[in-house]
Amino acid sequence: MLDSIRSPEDVRSLSSEQLTALVGEIRGTILRTVSQTGGHLASNLGTVELTLALHRVFKTPEDTLLFDVGHQSYTHKLLTGRADRFSALRTFGGLSGFTCRGESPYDTVSSGHSGSALSIALGMAEADRAAGRDRWTVCVVGDGALTNGMVYEALNNCIRSHDLRLLIVLNDNEMSISKNVGGFSAYLTRVRTSPRYFAFKRRLENGLVRIPLVGGGLARFARSVKEWLKKLLGQATVFEQLGIPYVGTVDGGDLPRLEEVLGGAKKRGGLCLVHVLTHKGAGYLDAEAHPDVYHSVSPFDPSSGVPQKPASGFSAAFGRTMCALAEKDGRIAAVTAAMPDGTGLTEFAKRFPDRFYDVGIAEEHAVAFAAGLSLSGQRPVCALYSTFAQRVYDQMFHDVALQKIPFVLALDRAGLVPGDGRTHQGLYDVSLFSSVPGITIVSPETEAELCCALAEAIGKDGATVVRYPKGAPRAGDRSGFTDLGAVQYTGPEGADIAVVTYGRLTENAVQAASLLPDVSVRVVKLLTVCPLDTETIRAALGGAKQVLFVEEGVRAGGVGEKLAALLSGTVKITIRAVGGLFVPPGTVAELEEMLGFTPRQIADEARRLVGKEDAT
């Protein structure tokens, strides 16, 4: 059936039997595709019926549909003309794993980070009201996003906007990435565990409506009495107490009931929040049993499931080092934002529960909270993914660096990140944080360097960013490198060219040098990328007058530009970095090829710079 679906219009005319068949086919397609490409599985399996109901009740794309985060939009993609390309999900040149404006007019925003969609939806609905448009704006927000402060800023702003055509769908699956944390999660648990109350309310309203002549009036009167009693007895939901009309809870697997409730909210008109209970991993037993494991997966065999392996590579090394250091120093604490597994802190959380804090999807709060720990004598390490550190610039500036306190920001997934694409690349942290006075940034290439860098950072009195890529290091033998502290180098004095880089690309630079037997090359690796030790770097260059700087980060404000300014007039620097584009999905190898970071491409550029491009 999926082959015949070209747009949501095709779905609106289907019978209940056809819809049941389509639901099964969509789930099978998602499972089959994600098992081959990797991606966000559990949340998408849980929102098939909800997405179908939204497209059947609302006339998209005239009515606008937003998904907060956007990683649960796979069914949406399948229903909006992209089924024939879905097998290329999260691949180079293929579909994004998130909503993407460039892919389809049905994707209202390009989204990949949590918490912002409700604010955008509110702004769109306000603009529609001002322009006299009668379209609806529908925003699907996960319960995990309710740990994000921006959601509450939007909800607070909704209070004066009851006449907006804005529908908020709270997609409550009891999970974010890992298990939900915090007071609001506990509150939603109390709300969602009152099914008898909601069933009684529905039966009463349906019974009253059936009474001839007066049934509709009685139902409306009962609703008004109910609202009055709830407020009098303090039983109204927090949304109702904020003045936002609330409907719930609704079984997210019951397609007819979903259509009934969503249609009722639409007919009512005006602002409304519908609370939908979905089941992460629905239809695939392994994902239902382990929704955290199946939140985001690499390719796997559906018949045997995802191997439940611990974190590996840099993430695992970070976790082991944190545990070892915490054994010796009772001041060390770990803070993360809904990423204990991904950042390698699961074992730390088990061994040191009193010094581990998962604050939910609230990166800004995580850094400010960790700053408070530091101000009271602890040594906090705040572990985030690099892409989410974009959110904490203000806190790193105002609450950390300005206070001149001990603080470590550990950034996993720095540099190029496979699969997730434009919203999740870790290419911006160096450019961002190097502009803040007093911050040190280190970029280790090996696990051993990561362990040393972390220990040194925890022992310092200032703020340090320790950044490292996803996966295992690729470094070969580094015994031939001379160590100058913040800088290492290998190669002859007075080389034709010095290739300067840091982090993961060091191995590419070493391999590039081996491809140039007729060119003398010195490879210089920066361990500390901010602040730059100009004199040590000059010494490491060994008299080379030609420098090729290769940077797995953005050019604007990056290390290459800063080094070029410091060495201006003494050497000629050519910079190869990321500039002028948002990097799409792909493997790291594919993205390095696209950006000119492979050993062969570096070697070709070095040969051109020294005037030997025609040599064999």
Side-chain angles (χ1 to χ4, degrees), residues 221-479:
F221 176 73
R223 279 196 295 268
S224 65
V225 171
K226 177 200 69 176
E227 299 302 329
W228 179 77
L229 283 172
K230 283 170 69 177
K231 291 177 182 177
L232 180 69
L233 298 173
Q235 296 301 307
T237 67
V238 68
F239 306 107
E240 292 166 300
Q241 291 172 346
L242 284 170
I244 299 171
Y246 169 90
V247 178
T249 56
V250 186
D251 181 359
D254 186 341
L255 183 55
R257 178 60 182 159
L258 280 169
E259 290 189 39
E260 177 188 352
V261 171
L262 293 171
K266 180 180 179 181
K267 185 180 296 184
R268 174 179 179 170
L271 176 68
C272 184
L273 186 145
V274 177
H275 187 173
V276 179
L277 304 182
T278 61
H279 188 56
K280 244 184 171 183
Y284 183 53
L285 292 178
D286 280 358
E288 291 183 50
H290 306 285
D292 53 340
V293 175
Y294 285 85
H295 170 75
S296 180
V297 296
S298 300
F300 69 101
D301 179 359
S303 63
S304 58
V306 172
Q308 296 187 35
K309 297 184 294 186
S312 61
F314 281 107
S315 300
F318 168 76
R320 290 193 302 270
T321 305
M322 284 291 294
C323 288
L325 294 171
E327 284 279 6
K328 300 175 182 177
D329 189 341
R331 300 173 301 165
I332 294 175
V335 181
T336 190
M339 296 283 187
D341 299 328
T343 57
L345 286 172
T346 303
E347 184 63 24
F348 187 100
K350 292 177 182 177
R351 292 175 58 182
F352 309 101
D354 294 338
R355 289 188 271 159
F356 174 76
Y357 306 92
D358 181 356
V359 302
I361 306 175
E363 292 87 1
E364 300 93 334
H365 166 64
V367 171
F369 170 78
L373 295 177
S374 180
L375 285 165
S376 291
Q378 288 193 305
R379 293 281 174 156
V381 177
C382 185
L384 306 174
Y385 288 3
S386 172
T387 182
F388 303 124
Q390 294 159 202
R391 297 183 158 202
V392 305
Y393 181 87
D394 179 55
Q395 286 72 31
M396 288 297 291
F397 180 97
H398 182 272
D399 304 314
V400 174
L402 191 63
Q403 314 307 322
K404 297 183 178 179
I405 55 177
F407 190 95
V408 179
L409 180 62
L411 297 185
D412 204 321
R413 274 70 165 173
L416 294 169
V417 178
D420 284 338
R422 294 168 180 84
T423 57
H424 279 59
Q425 301 297 348
L427 301 169
Y428 308 96
D429 53 86
V430 171
S431 181
L432 282 170
F433 296 125
S434 62
S435 67
V436 180
I439 285 184
T440 299
I441 305 174
V442 295
S443 190
E445 184 200 4
T446 67
E447 290 183 10
E449 289 174 355
L450 169 62
C451 298
C452 291
L454 189 60
E456 290 179 10
I458 290 173
K460 291 180 58 175
D461 287 334
T464 302
V465 176
V466 182
R467 60 186 308 277
Y468 42 94
K470 180 179 182 178
R474 59 173 63 154
D477 181 15
R478 294 291 177 266
S479 59

Side-chain angles (χ1 to χ4, degrees), residues 204-206 208-209 214-225:
L204 177 62
E205 290 183 356
N206 290 341
L208 290 174
V209 167
V214 297
L218 285 174
R220 287 191 295 274
F221 176 73
R223 279 196 295 268
S224 65
V225 171

Side-chain angles (χ1 to χ4, degrees), residues 470-533:
K470 180 179 182 178
R474 59 173 63 154
D477 181 15
R478 294 291 177 266
S479 59
F481 273 70
T482 299
D483 191 345
L484 299 179
V487 181
Q488 296 177 356
Y489 71 88
T490 187
E493 288 282 327
D496 295 329
I497 190 168
V499 179
V500 185
T501 189
Y502 58 91
R504 176 166 54 186
L505 286 186
T506 303
E507 177 65 14
N508 293 28
V510 171
Q511 290 186 25
S514 70
L515 298 174
L516 296 167
D518 57 329
V519 178
S520 60
V521 181
R522 176 168 279 209
V523 176
V524 178
K525 176 172 77 170
L526 308 182
L527 293 172
T528 300
V529 297
C530 178
L532 293 171
D533 185 340

